[in-house]
Amino acid sequence: MKEIIREPLFLLILVAIAVIVMMLMYQAVARDQKFGIKVEKFFGGILLFAISGATGAGVMPFSKLHPAVMAGRDTTMPTVVGQIVIYGAFLFILSPRLRSTLKDYLKALLITMTSDPSLAVLLFMISFSVLWSDSTDVSLKNGLVILETTFIAIYIGKQYSWQELYPWWRTVNLFVLLWSLVKTNGDAAGCWNGILGHKNQFSFFMAQTSVLWFLFAFYSPKNRRLAIVFGLLASLGVQKGCSGASRILVVILLGLCFYFSVIKKLPVQWAVVSVILFLIISIGLAIVVINNLEAIVVGGLQKDMTLTGRTEFWPQIVEKINERPVFGYGVAGFWQPWRGLENPAHGIIIVKSQFVPPHSHNGFLDLACDLGWGGLILFVLSFLNNIVKGVVYLTRARLPEAGLPLFILTYTLMTNLTETGLFGSTSVWFWYIVMSVRLSLDVSEKS
């Protein structure tokens, strides 16, 4: 196949066909607003599929379309050119629509930043972390990639309501589920990785997918049977992923969804307190079940008492962060094994097994590695701000869409306790930004 593509004549024909299709789609988007919305969601779905979970989809061509590829040390020039061409074509096709939809982008950005100043400062830290990074080129490229993902998420958040985002979100997750059922990528123990590359990240994503479809089944009687089927298939993925934390996550997220109806009836102040208590209890439940109940941990959930060594190297990471407590090591400036002895993470190891972790296995610690305790504090303040706004929105809007912001916050918190994915070009970060923008606009508009 590669030999055929390398033929100049065949390649010229392919380019000509691509240009014709692109021009036809451009004209269709310019003439038909509804078609333009569908195309925009389709292109956005491609990006969201590519960055699914913390690892992204590890199947062609989506593995080459992940924004983080542009910052990769081993990325080849053809891959860089190909990604620029493809995303450039997307922008060209959508340009008739973008000329009108981008007019209020700065306004939405300003409302979000004033409503969530901690997030605004955090984005400034991402933009300028190159100034204090020891690897300026690495921090510059990775920072730009995160900002690229962030700016797209801001656009999606300001452009679409939760009623439009909910089915789009479920559909993209469904494609990840179905593809993973075809390509299970089981390891020696029979645990599935799916197309997401790691069993824990796959399991978390399947937990999210199952609850989204079960929630849809509960509130949509006409589509209930099919939604339950999809929810059960995703639950199978949770089981086959062999992650004890993901099974607990399903229980917590389902409990939250049933708790929405209770929260809606409370005054805002008590509703905020009840949500915070729910999150605290959820964290406590996760810690107790995963880390302290030996009969469950070692037997039922197949974990050891140190969370597979995490509690051994977390103190080592904290010590490293304390060496640069305010601003950290810069975006992607900490975990750099290619630097050998100059690697800031050099020396972090699990003594028993001599395993050298590739990341903190905790999204909040990874954020602190890059942007220091200062960056982590800013995110926590933004998180708490969004809890308040999420509760306000829940009391004003209709379920199930009204509960999606709190769903995202709970998922973000629980999945980053023992794994990473909070910070970077991931769907976790993408949906956090979408939620922040959407909540800022919805709450300010109602006010």
Side-chain angles (χ1 to χ4, degrees):
M1 185 65 181
K2 291 182 179 179
E3 287 72 16
I4 296 175
I5 295 177
R6 288 171 182 167
E7 287 292 330
L9 180 60
F10 185 77
L11 185 61
L12 183 63
I13 294 173
L14 284 180
V15 171
I17 293 173
V19 170
I20 292 171
V21 171
M22 187 170 63
M23 294 305 299
L24 290 174
M25 291 187 69
Y26 174 90
Q27 293 294 331
V29 169
R31 290 195 305 265
D32 190 338
Q33 183 179 4
K34 291 184 179 180
F35 180 75
I37 293 174
K38 291 179 180 179
V39 172
E40 185 172 82
K41 287 183 177 180
F42 177 75
F43 289 163
I46 291 176
L47 173 66
L48 186 56
F49 186 95
I51 64 174
S52 294
T55 59
V59 290
M60 286 291 289
F62 300 98
S63 56
K64 298 294 185 181
L65 292 176
H66 196 297
V69 170
M70 297 293 283
R73 296 180 66 251
D74 300 323
T75 302
T76 61
M77 187 53 64
T79 300
V80 172
V81 173
Q83 189 172 122
I84 293 174
V85 169
I86 291 173
Y87 282 119
F90 290 175
L91 290 175
F92 174 76
I93 292 170
L94 292 173
S95 58
R97 172 173 169 78
L98 295 175
R99 279 196 287 268
S100 61
T101 58
L102 285 177
K103 289 179 180 179
D104 59 348
Y105 186 92
L106 290 179
K107 179 182 177 182
L109 180 62
L110 181 62
I111 292 174
T112 303
M113 296 301 101
T114 54
S115 176
D116 194 350
S118 300
L119 179 61
V121 179
L122 185 63
L123 293 179
F124 274 110
M125 288 187 70
I126 296 171
S127 303
F128 296 106
S129 76
V130 66
L131 298 178
W132 59 83
S133 172
D134 294 334
S135 304
T136 54
D137 58 332
V138 173
S139 292
L140 177 63
K141 289 189 292 185
N142 282 276
L144 289 174
V145 166
I146 294 174
L147 290 175
E148 172 195 348
T149 305
T150 302
F151 290 148
I152 295 173
I154 291 172
Y155 175 82
I156 295 295
K158 76 95 184 170
Q159 193 61 39
Y160 296 101
S161 67
W162 286 113
Q163 287 72 23
E164 295 169 305
L165 290 169
Y166 184 34
W168 182 64
W169 184 5
R170 290 196 317 270
T171 302
V172 175
N173 278 31
L174 178 61
F175 277 103
V176 175
L177 164 64
L178 296 178
W179 204 322
S180 295
L181 292 176
V182 174
K183 191 173 183 178
T184 59
N185 287 323
D187 59 16
C191 299
W192 291 4
N193 298 329
I195 63 172
L196 299 184
H198 192 280
K199 67 183 185 66
N200 290 342
Q201 294 296 345
F202 168 74
S203 299
F204 285 149
F205 197 87
M206 291 299 101
Q208 178 193 106
T209 304
S210 66
V211 177
L212 283 175
W213 280 101
F214 283 140
L215 186 63
F216 179 61
F218 184 79
Y219 285 97
S220 302
K222 292 182 180 179
N223 304 291
R224 182 162 295 162
R225 291 183 180 178
L226 187 59
I228 290 176
V229 170
F230 292 150
L232 290 174
L233 287 175
S235 299
L236 174 64
V238 173
Q239 181 66 23
K240 290 294 186 179
C242 304
S243 167
S246 65
R247 297 167 195 170
I248 299 170
L249 180 61
V250 171
V251 175
I252 291 172
L253 291 177
L254 284 174
L256 176 68
C257 293
F258 286 112
Y259 194 43
F260 287 153
S261 58
V262 176
I263 301 173
K264 281 181 71 69
K265 299 176 182 178
L266 298 175
V268 173
Q269 296 90 335
W270 288 108
V272 171
V273 172
S274 66
V275 170
I276 293 175
L277 286 175
F278 179 89
L279 294 176
I280 293 173
I281 292 172
S282 298
I283 293 172
L285 175 65
I287 292 174
V288 167
V289 174
I290 297 178
N291 196 34
N292 292 327
L293 293 183
E294 188 168 359
I296 298 177
V297 173
V298 179
L301 297 183
Q302 300 175 349
K303 296 283 184 182
D304 61 42
M305 295 302 291
T306 63
L307 290 178
T308 322
R310 289 173 175 83
T311 56
E312 291 187 29
F313 62 78
W314 279 344
Q316 301 175 45
I317 295 172
V318 170
E319 289 179 7
K320 292 284 188 177
I321 297 171
N322 288 336
E323 294 177 10
R324 295 193 180 184
V326 181
F327 297 112
Y329 293 82
V331 175
F334 186 72
W335 299 98
Q336 298 182 339
W338 64 88
R339 293 178 61 188
L341 295 177
E342 295 182 357
N343 175 19
H346 177 72
I348 295 177
I349 191 172
I350 300 177
V351 178
K352 290 182 180 179
S353 63
Q354 295 296 298
F355 173 71
V356 178
H359 51 74
S360 299
H361 288 274
N362 181 290
F364 305 104
L365 283 180
D366 275 332
L367 176 58
C369 288
D370 284 3
L371 300 178
W373 298 123
L376 180 58
I377 290 171
L378 288 170
F379 179 81
V380 170
L381 292 175
S382 171
F383 191 91
L384 294 173
N385 184 13
N386 279 318
I387 287 179
V388 175
K389 289 189 290 189
V391 169
V392 172
Y393 181 69
L394 177 66
T395 59
R396 294 176 177 177
R398 295 179 60 183
L399 292 171
E401 290 81 5
L404 294 180
L406 294 178
F407 179 95
I408 291 172
L409 288 168
T410 304
Y411 180 84
T412 300
L413 175 63
M414 299 308 299
T415 56
N416 282 278
L417 294 177
T418 57
E419 283 296 334
T420 192
L422 169 64
F423 183 56
S425 296
T426 67
S427 63
V428 180
W429 178 258
F430 179 90
W431 280 113
Y432 184 83
I433 299 298
V434 169
M435 175 209 61
S436 298
V437 174
R438 194 64 258 162
L439 278 179
S440 298
L441 296 177
D442 287 335
V443 173
S444 63
E445 183 180 286
K446 291 288 184 181
S447 299

